[in-house]
Amino acid sequence: MPLTNVTTVTGAKCGLIRDAPSNFTYSLDAEEQPEGLVSLTDQEDEGIGGVSLLHRSSRGSTLPRPPVIESQLDTEHEEGSTAGAYERSTSPKSVMLRSRGVRYDKVLEDEICNMHKFSFYETASRFFLVGADVLDRKFKILKIERTGDSGDLNLAEDDIVYTKKEMKQLLKAVDEGNKSSGGLKSRGITWGLLGFIRFTGDYYMLLITKRSQVAMIGGHYIYQVDGTELVSLSTPSSTRFKSDRHPDEARFVGILNNLDLSRSFYFSYSYDITNTLQHNISRERILLLQTRPKSATRNFNGMFVWNQYLLEPAARVLKNVYSWCLPIMHGFVDQATLSIYGRTVYITVIARRSRFFAGARFLKRGANDMGYVANDVETEQIVSEMQTTSFHAPGPKLYANPSYTSYVQHRGSIPLFWAQDSTGVTPKPDIDISLIDPFYGAAALHFDNLFGRYGSPVFVLNLVKARERTPRECLLLREYTKAIEYLNQFLPDKNKILYKAWDMSRASKSRDQDVIGTLESIAEEVLRTTGFFHNSDGRGDEKAKMQNGIARTNCIDCLDRTNAAQFVIGKLALGHQLHALGIISDTSIAYDTDAVNLFTHMYHDHGDTIAIQYGGSHLVNTMETYRKINQWTSHSRDMVESFKRYYNNSFLDGQRQEAYNLFLGNYKFTQGQPMLWDLSTDYYLHHSDPRAWSTKNRRSYVDWYTPSHLEARRMLALPYDNGLPAHKSLEYFDDYWLEYYRPLAVSSFQKIFSYRMNSTLRYLPFKSTQEGRYDLSPFRVRSGSEHEALERARPVTDPLIGEALHVQFQTPSHAVVTDVISISAISSPIPPLPESIKTKLESQDTAGDSYMDLLQNARFSDQGPKSSKSPEDKSAIAQWTLNQFVINSLNPSVTSAEMDEYGRYISHPLNLPLVISSDAPSTPSLDLIGYVQSASADTLGSLHSTEEDMADFREFIYVGEDPLTVTDADTAKKRYKAYRQWLKGKSLFKQSRIDT
């Protein structure tokens, strides 16, 4: 190909592709060279896809495009729940992009390119991480130097955003530059980088290898980490021949592997799961007034970022650390659908576990001197009606969708200095209040932190035991009460801590106390105090409701009793949220409804997950226990869970605690200091160094709170008169559309998370809905017989025939009067039904009702008292059914409608016109004329048979006198090939030797 307008540059000058050979050159002809390349700095960008690889130097020269590399960028390594993109060979958009040239797109200071998939490559001296957006149109690259002997972390981030073609060319250039050392090798696809960690020597990087979708909020997906990989950054030569490597390096890696990151760790590419919905929408409205995009400020809550220690090395060298590294949250996420006559409501439960003072049950109790408590979990329930997917209202009114509500609760250990000795064999060790602080400094710091996170007031629900034979929990009850009384005397009256102590364990064991009723009365007081969040556009009478304050619930472990209390509070909040959305007219939902059953399962899973993380086993006492509806078989389950919890606390909690301390950065290896496994206690790892604060001024014992934390939260109202800011589109502020709807991607219902989500529709018995006697409302109280009838409605099996017999019969009120043609004269009298049963059956006649009438009248179809049938009535129905079945079998009949259909079937072929003439029709069609004229004389003349054809034909139709006899002359024929094989001893079917 002749070269015209050639631009030749050495590859060694090409930015991140300095790995290319120094003598590598590449030329662009007129067709490959982008249009408007010379005047790129003077004209406005017009392209849509990615940016050019052409790096412009200070002199205005351009750098070349390397050759194309065939890499995994062409493939879609997506998990089963997400469909891969389907790329057409030719599309109008690709032609448009080629005709419009390239686009030079550099990430601005206030704009970050969100990447959803990463390709991992390596050479002998470097790692390369290529990030792609959700549509695989924009790519960025991160270079990671292998540490070698230096041990330092060296990262290089390219600000240029590339297209797929340009990224292939860049990788090809890197591959060419490393041919002598093995070239560029692909390590596969990863879904995110969790950060970097080091123990005694070189760094390691932690990658996400598997993920799964668990929730969707505002068009943004939340994923669970299903698999990770720890990759060493040391060079292969240093790993193989380095003799001075620390001998305990492998043991540190083994301790880290004890922390299973594939269980209950979550992340999101575009939604901040470390903060509440109220906080996120309030922050986005502030950024909107500043005309800044959503990704401009990554204000994650460090309290719930569990890989914060792994992100610190990358944050020191990268400008956009959250573009490459994903913060992960530890806790629980679940989402389900509430279907109400065509209206869809999403219920999302998110539990966030604090990384401060984190650990196992008996090893982490109470609080540390910084005010952080053990088993600190924030639980948020988001209820949203999916009329629109995003957070935005029509208009568009950004972050003003009134269909989103949320409510937040908190659980945590009692904020005092106390512990339990788990070294013995006692399942319930004694409680030791290790330090008596007359000023309750730890509790003051803790409640000030709660004021700062949630506002005031704080409603404390203390569920520990009040009376015991051997004082254990009651010791904490008295000390905790004194702490609240001391702190309250300095707070303003409207901001005082509301304290409620109730011995829930004793109430549940008493027959004359209603545990659920008491909790519901407490929940009503909590909701009146704190309120809940309901988004709005802030105009007219519809004002946004904000949650001010928090309900803090605790027992001794913050597991069983706490989860039941939080469920009752969350159930009442669910009724208020549905009422605010206009779903129900009242604010309460009854038990044993589909909606509450679904919500109960979600909270049960939530409690089990929190209990496993802290106590090592599932919940021992569930909601059925406190509602006193559990069966006697559940007692054995409770015993098993109690034993599992005791075993884990006694033998496995130490290993888990070491893994927590290492992953969270509580322990850092220092030469000459004790090893992690040699520490007799980790007390000093979770408490501040006295030498750090002893020289500073102490916190005031009177003014222990921050006044600004007590201010009420208010939603910022936005001026929407002018619409969106000038020259800004909706995608600039929120890219939910691309993430949720995935344009140009081929998918199926089975791979769409919203289709696979758990729903109240799964509670409906299908047979009852067909008959029209089932109320489809998820707020209808279900009696036990309604669900048990579905299980009992199994086909009856005849022991003689072995097939299922579906017996159906019709009463006289349901029968259709038609002319019947009797085929058999055998008959016998049918015993009449009792008048009481006939009246009941006639009253249930719904043959003339339409489907919509059934839906409208279903709520009132069974409101009356249910009368049970007497044994005489049941026996009469059974006898009548059996006799009717016998009569129908012995006296079959055909209705007049069936006879008419049979007559049309017989007469239809007789009425068809037959073609008896070869003459052409008077008005032939053009297709017929074309077909007749297509047969020429030459074609007809070539149709003749040879002598061999005639011989084969005669042999085929010849039948001997004894056609069953095979002669020797017949054995050579093809039709007897199997017979010849059989004569040789092979099977007639499988063509294998017969065993003799």
Side-chain angles (χ1 to χ4, degrees):
M1 178 185 297
L3 299 179
T4 58
N5 298 333
V6 175
T7 304
T8 304
V9 188
T10 59
K13 300 180 181 179
C14 187
L16 277 178
I17 61 170
R18 60 174 62 95
D19 293 326
S22 57
N23 59 350
F24 171 76
T25 59
Y26 184 66
S27 301
L28 298 177
D29 57 14
E31 296 179 357
E32 294 176 324
Q33 189 168 354
E35 298 179 3
L37 183 62
V38 178
S39 59
L40 184 61
T41 57
D42 299 331
Q43 67 181 10
E44 185 178 356
D45 295 339
E46 295 179 341
I48 297 178
V51 337
S52 172
L53 179 64
L54 307 175
H55 294 250
R56 186 171 292 275
S57 65
S58 58
R59 298 181 181 178
S61 61
T62 59
L63 296 180
R65 297 171 179 262
V68 176
I69 183 175
E70 296 297 331
S71 67
Q72 64 215 33
L73 296 177
D74 290 328
T75 60
E76 279 286 338
H77 296 270
E78 188 67 82
E79 75 278 18
S81 61
T82 306
Y86 172 74
E87 297 184 5
R88 298 172 174 83
S89 57
T90 58
S91 64
K93 193 155 193 174
S94 61
V95 175
M96 178 186 67
L97 291 178
R98 288 196 298 269
S99 63
R100 296 178 66 177
V102 299
R103 178 185 177 191
Y104 185 84
D105 188 9
K106 185 173 182 178
V107 179
L108 304 177
E109 295 292 335
D110 59 344
E111 184 177 1
I112 298 176
C113 178
N114 288 328
M115 293 175 287
H116 292 246
K117 187 177 67 173
F118 303 85
S119 303
F120 190 37
Y121 301 90
E122 68 172 342
T123 62
S125 59
R126 296 176 179 87
F127 289 104
F128 293 92
L129 200 62
V130 178
D133 66 345
V134 68
L135 294 181
D136 276 350
R137 292 181 179 176
K138 296 182 179 181
F139 295 83
K140 294 186 66 178
I141 187 169
L142 175 68
K143 183 178 69 173
I144 307 170
E145 297 283 350
R146 291 183 183 266
T147 54
D149 298 332
S150 63
D152 297 329
L153 183 62
N154 189 359
L155 307 176
E157 178 186 12
D158 193 355
D159 292 335
I160 305 301
V161 181
Y162 301 97
T163 62
K164 178 180 288 189
K165 180 179 180 181
E166 293 163 349
M167 184 54 65
K168 291 179 182 179
Q169 295 169 346
L170 178 60
L171 296 176
K172 181 64 176 179
V174 175
D175 182 57
E176 291 291 337
N178 291 271
K179 283 294 186 183
S180 59
S181 59
L184 182 67
K185 300 178 182 178
S186 173
R187 292 285 298 268
I189 293 293
T190 66
W191 302 111
L193 176 63
L194 295 183
F196 302 87
I197 188 173
R198 68 186 304 180
F199 306 119
T200 62
D202 301 327
Y203 272 96
Y204 297 84
M205 62 178 170
L206 195 59
L207 300 173
I208 301 175
T209 57
K210 295 181 181 180
R211 69 178 187 183
S212 59
Q213 297 172 349
V214 292
M216 188 278 298
I217 302 177
H220 306 282
Y221 282 110
I222 299 177
Y223 298 90
Q224 178 177 343
V225 178
D226 293 333
T228 58
E229 181 181 0
L230 191 66
V231 180
S232 175
L233 297 187
S234 59
T235 58
S237 58
S238 63
T239 304
R240 184 178 305 176
F241 302 108
K242 194 172 182 179
S243 59
D244 58 345
R245 185 177 182 183
H246 202 283
D248 294 320
E249 180 76 13
R251 187 166 182 177
F252 278 111
V253 176
I255 292 176
L256 184 64
N257 291 332
N258 289 333
L259 180 61
D260 190 1
L261 293 176
S262 62
R263 298 182 61 180
S264 306
F265 283 89
Y266 306 91
F267 69 94
S268 177
Y269 297 106
S270 53
Y271 181 75
D272 184 5
I273 59 176
T274 64
N275 283 298
T276 62
L277 178 66
Q278 174 176 303
H279 179 275
N280 289 336
I281 291 183
S282 300
R283 181 187 60 192
E284 296 302 335
R285 289 198 177 190
I286 295 175
L287 294 177
L288 184 60
L289 286 181
Q290 301 173 358
T291 322
R292 302 177 67 186
K294 176 180 180 179
S295 57
T297 304
R298 300 299 183 96
N299 187 21
F300 295 108
N301 190 345
M303 189 175 190
F304 304 116
V305 179
W306 270 63
N307 59 334
Q308 181 70 32
Y309 175 64
L310 281 72
L311 296 176
E312 291 175 359
R316 290 192 292 264
V317 295
L318 293 179
K319 182 179 67 173
N320 300 320
V321 59
Y322 293 116
S323 293
W324 299 100
C325 302
L326 297 172
I328 58 174
M329 178 205 72
H330 189 34
F332 174 79
V333 176
D334 192 15
Q335 191 173 51
T337 304
L338 200 64
S339 180
I340 310 102
Y341 293 113
R343 301 177 68 175
T344 302
V345 175
Y346 281 4
I347 303 177
T348 310
V349 176
I350 302 177
R352 307 175 180 93
R353 177 176 292 278
S354 172
R355 67 182 178 93
F356 300 121
F357 205 52
R361 179 189 178 196
F362 284 140
L363 300 180
K364 289 293 167 285
R365 292 296 210 184
N368 61 5
D369 58 354
M370 293 174 283
Y372 300 114
V373 298
N375 199 18
D376 189 319
V377 179
E378 172 188 279
T379 301
E380 179 183 18
Q381 62 184 53
I382 301 175
V383 181
S384 57
E385 185 179 4
M386 301 310 295
Q387 292 179 341
T388 56
T389 303
S390 68
F391 294 127
H392 317 297
K397 298 180 179 180
L398 300 185
Y399 301 101
N401 190 348
S403 298
Y404 279 88
T405 65
S406 73
Y407 183 74
V408 184
Q409 301 184 66
H410 178 270
R411 73 170 70 184
S413 186
I414 297 177
L416 300 174
F417 296 110
W418 63 281
Q420 285 181 283
D421 186 10
S422 61
T423 57
V425 295
T426 305
K428 295 182 179 180
D430 294 336
I431 294 178
D432 178 27
I433 302 179
S434 55
L435 177 63
I436 302 296
D437 182 6
F439 305 105
Y440 302 101
L445 291 173
H446 174 69
F447 282 105
D448 188 40
N449 179 264
L450 292 181
F451 286 144
R453 288 157 58 185
Y454 310 110
S456 69
V458 174
F459 193 103
V460 175
L461 178 58
N462 189 9
L463 302 176
V464 299
K465 298 178 181 178
R467 290 188 298 173
E468 297 173 291
R469 293 182 179 178
T470 302
R472 294 177 60 256
E473 298 185 16
C474 59
L475 299 178
L476 292 175
L477 174 63
R478 290 193 293 267
E479 195 67 21
Y480 194 19
T481 304
K482 293 178 181 178
I484 300 296
E485 293 175 353
Y486 172 81
L487 297 177
N488 266 340
Q489 62 182 337
F490 306 112
L491 284 172
D493 293 338
K494 63 178 181 179
N495 304 117
K496 289 185 181 298
I497 301 173
L498 304 179
Y499 181 71
K500 175 70 175 180
W502 178 52
D503 191 345
M504 181 176 174
S505 178
R506 176 175 291 272
S508 63
K509 297 176 183 178
S510 176
R511 296 183 178 181
D512 58 348
Q513 292 195 36
D514 184 9
V515 177
I516 302 301
T518 305
L519 289 177
E520 286 183 342
S521 62
I522 296 175
E524 292 177 357
E525 184 180 357
V526 169
L527 264 294
R528 288 195 303 267
T529 303
T530 63
F532 63 96
F533 170 68
H534 183 199
N535 193 24
S536 177
D537 56 5
R539 287 183 169 272
D541 298 334
E542 294 276 336
K543 298 293 184 181
K545 298 179 181 179
M546 304 291 287
Q547 178 178 348
N548 285 280
I550 192 71
R552 187 194 189 278
T553 310
N554 71 268
C555 53
I556 194 65
D557 294 322
C558 302
L559 296 180
D560 300 350
R561 288 168 281 178
T562 299
N563 196 74
Q566 284 196 339
F567 165 77
V568 175
I569 297 174
K571 170 182 167 295
L572 183 62
L574 175 65
H576 283 267
Q577 290 172 286
L578 293 174
H579 175 72
L581 295 176
I583 303 297
I584 58 179
S585 58
D586 197 3
T587 58
S588 62
I589 310 175
Y591 285 95
D592 298 322
T593 60
D594 293 343
V596 174
N597 290 338
L598 180 69
F599 192 67
T600 303
H601 291 324
M602 297 178 68
Y603 254 84
H604 188 274
D605 295 340
H606 160 261
D608 279 341
T609 304
I610 299 302
I612 290 175
Q613 294 168 5
Y614 184 62
S617 68
H618 294 84
L619 291 174
V620 176
N621 298 315
T622 61
M623 276 302 301
E624 287 77 10
T625 305
Y626 296 109
R627 291 184 63 192
K628 301 178 182 180
I629 60 174
N630 58 331
Q631 301 177 357
W632 65 270
T633 54
S634 64
H635 296 300
S636 59
R637 172 199 171 274
D638 297 345
M639 295 176 59
V640 172
E641 294 301 332
S642 298
F643 178 77
K644 288 172 58 179
R645 183 174 296 182
Y646 168 72
Y647 175 80
N648 285 286
N649 298 156
S650 301
F651 301 103
L652 302 180
D653 282 356
Q655 299 178 6
R656 286 199 300 142
Q657 190 63 54
E658 289 181 350
Y660 282 143
N661 292 334
L662 192 62
F663 181 78
L664 296 174
N666 298 326
Y667 173 84
K668 301 176 183 178
F669 171 78
T670 304
Q671 195 70 32
Q673 296 296 325
M675 290 295 179
L676 175 61
W677 49 86
D678 293 333
L679 296 176
S680 59
T681 177
D682 62 349
Y683 177 87
Y684 301 101
L685 302 180
H686 295 270
H687 291 74
S688 60
D689 189 353
R691 294 171 294 184
W693 53 263
S694 59
T695 58
K696 299 180 181 179
N697 294 331
R698 290 180 176 270
R699 190 182 183 95
S700 175
Y701 296 137
V702 176
D703 299 330
W704 58 267
Y705 59 91
T706 305
S708 60
H709 292 172
L710 303 180
E711 297 178 0
R713 270 65 173 165
R714 293 182 175 85
M715 180 61 70
L716 181 65
L718 296 178
Y720 293 110
D721 297 337
N722 299 328
L724 292 174
H727 309 293
K728 300 295 182 182
S729 62
L730 180 60
E731 291 77 12
Y732 180 80
F733 299 96
D734 190 3
D735 57 352
Y736 76 94
W737 181 271
L738 299 181
E739 182 176 1
Y740 181 68
Y741 293 101
R742 292 186 63 113
L744 304 181
V746 177
S747 184
S748 61
F749 283 115
Q750 288 73 18
K751 294 182 179 180
I752 297 177
F753 173 75
S754 301
Y755 181 81
R756 297 182 287 106
M757 195 186 308
N758 189 21
S759 173
T760 53
L761 295 178
R762 299 185 181 183
Y763 291 88
L764 301 180
F766 180 72
K767 181 179 179 180
S768 298
T769 56
Q770 281 187 323
E771 296 175 355
R773 296 193 299 269
Y774 195 87
D775 190 352
L776 300 179
S777 172
F779 308 108
R780 173 64 185 277
V781 177
R782 309 294 184 194
S783 61
S785 58
E786 293 185 1
H787 292 290
E788 294 172 1
L790 179 64
E791 298 296 329
R792 294 196 302 264
R794 304 294 184 187
V796 181
T797 304
D798 192 334
L800 300 178
I801 303 177
E803 298 179 355
L805 302 178
H806 297 271
V807 181
Q808 297 180 355
F809 68 95
Q810 290 182 335
T811 60
S813 62
H814 289 75
V816 180
V817 180
T818 55
D819 295 334
V820 178
I821 301 176
S822 178
I823 299 179
S824 174
I826 303 176
S827 62
S828 62
I830 302 176
L833 283 173
E835 292 297 325
S836 59
I837 301 179
K838 186 181 301 184
T839 305
K840 295 176 183 177
L841 292 177
E842 291 175 354
S843 63
Q844 296 178 1
D845 185 12
T846 56
D849 296 339
S850 63
Y851 181 68
M852 294 305 298
D853 294 337
L854 292 176
L855 291 180
Q856 295 174 359
N857 300 327
R859 178 171 299 182
F860 309 99
S861 61
D862 53 352
Q863 293 290 337
K866 298 181 180 179
S867 59
S868 59
K869 300 181 178 62
S870 62
E872 295 78 7
D873 295 342
K874 294 182 179 179
S875 61
I877 290 179
Q879 181 64 30
W880 189 91
T881 304
L882 178 61
N883 293 340
Q884 181 69 16
F885 177 74
V886 173
I887 293 304
N888 292 340
S889 301
L890 298 179
N891 188 21
S893 59
V894 180
T895 62
S896 58
E898 294 173 341
M899 287 299 300
D900 294 342
E901 182 180 358
Y902 179 74
R904 289 194 302 271
Y905 173 77
I906 295 300
S907 61
H908 180 69
L910 302 179
N911 298 330
L912 293 177
L914 301 178
V915 180
I916 57 177
S917 175
S918 60
D919 299 338
S922 58
T923 57
S925 62
L926 298 179
D927 296 338
L928 177 62
I929 296 176
Y931 172 75
V932 172
Q933 293 178 353
S934 63
S936 60
D938 297 338
T939 304
L940 297 176
S942 62
L943 298 178
H944 62 278
S945 301
T946 61
E947 187 63 27
E948 297 179 356
D949 297 335
M950 296 301 297
D952 293 339
F953 178 70
R954 286 192 295 269
E955 180 183 359
F956 179 76
I957 64 175
Y958 173 74
V959 180
E961 296 179 357
D962 189 3
L964 299 180
T965 302
V966 181
T967 61
D968 295 338
D970 296 332
T971 56
K973 298 179 180 179
K974 294 182 178 180
R975 70 182 72 174
Y976 298 110
K977 179 179 179 181
Y979 178 70
R980 294 195 302 269
Q981 298 292 338
W982 180 78
L983 292 177
K984 295 179 181 180
K986 294 185 178 181
S987 173
L988 188 61
F989 301 99
K990 296 183 180 180
Q991 299 296 320
S992 60
R993 302 289 296 182
I994 300 178
D995 297 333
T996 58

